[in-house]
Amino acid sequence: MGDALDIMQVAGEGAAALVTEMVKSTWESVRDSVARFFRRGGEESAEQELRLVDTAQQRLVGSAESERASVEEELRGQLMIQLAAFLQKHPNAAQELRNLADQVQAADEGSGVRTSVHGNTNSQVVIAGGAINASGGFHYRTPEEGR
């Protein structure tokens, strides 16, 4: 029973990583890694498995923004089942899938925005991790004007 749980955990991590990457510009390089992973089952099997992954990626990219979260959830489930079935046939590939998921996660953690501001005399800098909304606009004043 422990092996089955481990396979499902690895498959879940792999599925989550794939869905996360499907909408990014780095998808092609991740897809190449997925192709190598599936080749452990032979070339014909790899083509069939990749066709399913490509269909999932196209569906996600083509989904409306309002539907994206539900499509992602559905695809994570489908890919988890696909990956778990593959790992049951090829349990020696589990570490490779885990490594792929770890690489994707590490890349995501290192992809934060870095900002460096120099020589901003008499100005203010606004840095946001998302949208900034202000009704009425922003009004900047030097500290002297605020007194």
Side-chain angles (χ1 to χ4, degrees):
M1 191 68 156
D3 288 343
L5 289 177
D6 190 43
I7 284 175
M8 293 307 290
Q9 179 181 351
V10 173
E13 292 169 1
L18 292 182
V19 171
T20 298
E21 288 299 306
M22 285 180 171
V23 293
K24 295 183 179 180
S25 62
T26 56
W27 169 244
E28 284 303 316
S29 66
V30 172
R31 185 192 181 280
D32 291 343
S33 297
V34 172
R36 281 190 299 278
F37 167 77
F38 282 132
R39 282 192 192 104
R40 288 176 162 261
E43 199 61 41
E44 186 176 322
S45 173
E47 288 178 23
Q48 292 171 353
E49 299 287 355
L50 277 176
R51 211 171 327 182
L52 295 172
V53 171
D54 288 339
T55 299
Q57 191 265 344
Q58 291 165 1
R59 182 170 169 224
L60 181 60
V61 170
S63 67
E65 191 65 38
S66 60
E67 300 172 354
R68 183 73 47 96
S70 65
V71 172
E72 286 177 352
E73 184 177 340
E74 184 179 334
L75 292 178
R76 273 192 298 274
Q78 290 173 359
L79 288 169
M80 184 174 79
I81 292 168
Q82 179 185 1
L83 293 169
F86 185 84
L87 289 175
Q88 285 179 335
K89 292 182 249 177
H90 309 282
N92 57 342
Q95 188 59 49
E96 187 174 347
L97 182 58
R98 183 168 272 150
N99 292 344
L100 175 63
D102 289 347
Q103 288 172 353
V104 167
Q105 184 179 3
D108 283 346
E109 289 171 358
S111 66
V113 175
R114 291 176 180 83
T115 304
S116 179
V117 180
H118 303 281
N120 61 326
T121 306
N122 293 327
S123 66
Q124 293 182 352
V125 177
V126 177
I127 300 172
I132 298 176
N133 297 313
S135 56
F138 289 100
H139 301 282
Y140 296 105
R141 294 184 179 85
T142 63
E144 293 78 31
E145 290 175 322
R147 290 183 197 168

